[in-house]
Amino acid sequence: MEKVKENPDIIVAPGYGFSRIFDDVYFQPHDPVAESSFVFLRHNFLPQRMAICPHFVVGELGFGSGLNALITVDLWLRVAPAGSTLMYFAVEKYPLTLSQLIVMGQPWKALFPEAYNMLISPHYENACSRAAKVPLRDNKTLIFQIFTEDAAQALTHWPAKADAWFLDGFAPAKNPEMWHPSVLSRIGDNTLLGGTFATFTAASGVRQGLRDAGFHVFRTKGYGPKKHMSWGYRFSNPGKF
Ligand SMILES: C[S@@+](CC[C@H](N)C(=O)[O-])C[C@H]1O[C@@H](n2cnc3c(N)ncnc32)[C@H](O)[C@@H]1O
């Protein structure tokens, strides 16, 4: 396994992360847990869906600090039926080291101890090079992998169509490549019919790209003072029927 190297352009502190590469924060410093839960869990309807689906696949663009993974695994541990499997596949072009994750995740350790011990651990380093399979209580299994490459590349060999996507790749104005129509089209290809996405952005180009990728797209009120965010579900794959 090739060890992740620390990138000097990524600044970390407890509950905080900033990328000099993109001139953007990893998440809003004010209550990121509430904001990420609102955008990604609630608008993918995960509490309801995970409670009845024994096999669930999540895809994420931009693993970053692992906060979204933490809140997802925490929810799944609480609500999914015994014997369930969660597959969590993420892409991350600039992976953080485990030490950086430990610094950033300091405030979350006490909030989600079980998920934290599982993710912010050597499993993270393993998951950066191959699928990590983690057996858990109640006969549950987490399968977890992070593709440490460009999203456009990773999506050409994505391992499983997702039930739900977290599109979390910095602001489109600061990172247009992550939101390129070709990337969004591959998100459509890698989503089950009826599968959903949620994202903090409501940029019109992103919403159009997702419509072209076969999603019904909804713009809705964003978290707190944020005006808008978007979510949607896949109903077709244009050009493939
Ligand atoms: C807003 S942060 C993600 C925050 C993360 N979801 C979390 O829970 O901490 C965006 C992430 O996307 C990654 N990223 C940006 N462009 C990328 C690309 N083209 N391919 C893959 N990852 C990319 C960045 O390195 C960064 O970690």
Side-chain angles (χ1 to χ4, degrees), residues 41 46 50 58 66-80 86 88 112 114-116 118-119 136-137 140 142-144 166:
L41 304 186
L46 294 197
M50 281 182 163
V58 172
L67 172 60
N68 290 341
L70 273 176
I71 59 175
T72 303
V73 170
D74 172 70
L75 172 72
W76 173 75
L77 281 170
R78 286 186 284 112
V79 305
L86 173 64
Y88 196 101
F112 316 111
E114 207 176 351
Y116 182 97
M118 191 189 319
L119 293 171
L136 295 161
R137 66 173 160 83
K140 291 181 180 178
L142 171 70
I143 294 170
F144 163 46
F166 303 163

Side-chain angles (χ1 to χ4, degrees), residues 26 60 62-65 67-68 92-94 150-151 168 175 178:
Y26 277 69
E60 179 176 31
F63 184 82
S65 69
L67 172 60
N68 290 341
E92 178 49 66
K93 190 172 177 180
Y94 303 98
D150 193 87
D168 197 13
N175 188 17
M178 190 68 132

Side-chain angles (χ1 to χ4, degrees), residues 38-52:
F38 176 85
V39 173
F40 299 108
L41 304 186
R42 189 195 288 196
H43 287 89
N44 275 303
F45 306 93
L46 294 197
Q48 300 89 333
R49 295 166 76 194
M50 281 182 163
I52 55 169

Side-chain angles (χ1 to χ4, degrees), residues 10 19 22 24-27 36 40 60-69 91-96 104 108 147 149-152 168-170 175 177-178 200:
I10 299 173
S19 170
F22 296 97
D24 205 354
V25 286
Y26 277 69
F27 36 76
S36 293
F40 299 108
E60 179 176 31
L61 285 195
F63 184 82
S65 69
L67 172 60
N68 290 341
V91 59
E92 178 49 66
K93 190 172 177 180
Y94 303 98
L96 298 164
M104 278 170 104
W108 309 322
F147 298 93
E149 60 193 316
D150 193 87
D168 197 13
F170 290 131
N175 188 17
E177 271 155 46
M178 190 68 132
F200 60 88

Side-chain angles (χ1 to χ4, degrees), residues 39-40 167 169-173 179 197-204 206-207 210 217-219 228-231:
V39 173
F40 299 108
L167 307 183
F170 290 131
W179 307 94
F197 78 85
T199 178
F200 60 88
T201 182
S204 58
V206 170
R207 285 184 289 129
L210 287 162
V217 177
F218 301 90
R219 188 173 72 163
H228 295 125
M229 57 160 282
S230 27
W231 71 277

